[in-house]
Amino acid sequence: LTARRSRRLARAQTHAALRCGAQSVSLFDHHLDLGAEPGRDLLCADGLHPSAQGYALHLRRLVPAIQA
């Protein structure tokens, strides 16, 4: 239930941002299960917050939008 609501909120935020002329960068990967290998190393031990590798992945996705 929480995951579904989170995705719904993300879609609403994306639509609102695009309507205002902002770019939207998804940090969610529909093909990656963060609870399974290799995604497990993308989260800290708490299983919720990104690890250093997770933040590096976020940065690689954000840089092109920032440069644009």
Side-chain angles (χ1 to χ4, degrees), residues 12-37:
Q13 290 171 326
T14 296
H15 287 50
L18 294 174
R19 279 195 309 270
C20 293
Q23 288 191 354
S24 176
V25 177
S26 177
L27 300 180
F28 178 75
D29 190 336
H30 300 279
H31 305 289
L32 181 62
D33 177 4
L34 292 179
E37 298 296 338

Side-chain angles (χ1 to χ4, degrees), residues 41-63:
D41 64 342
L42 297 178
L43 295 175
C44 288
D46 66 6
L48 179 64
H49 296 95
S51 65
Q53 294 90 346
Y55 280 119
L57 176 63
H58 291 177
L59 183 62
R60 284 194 301 275
R61 292 181 178 183
L62 289 170
V63 165

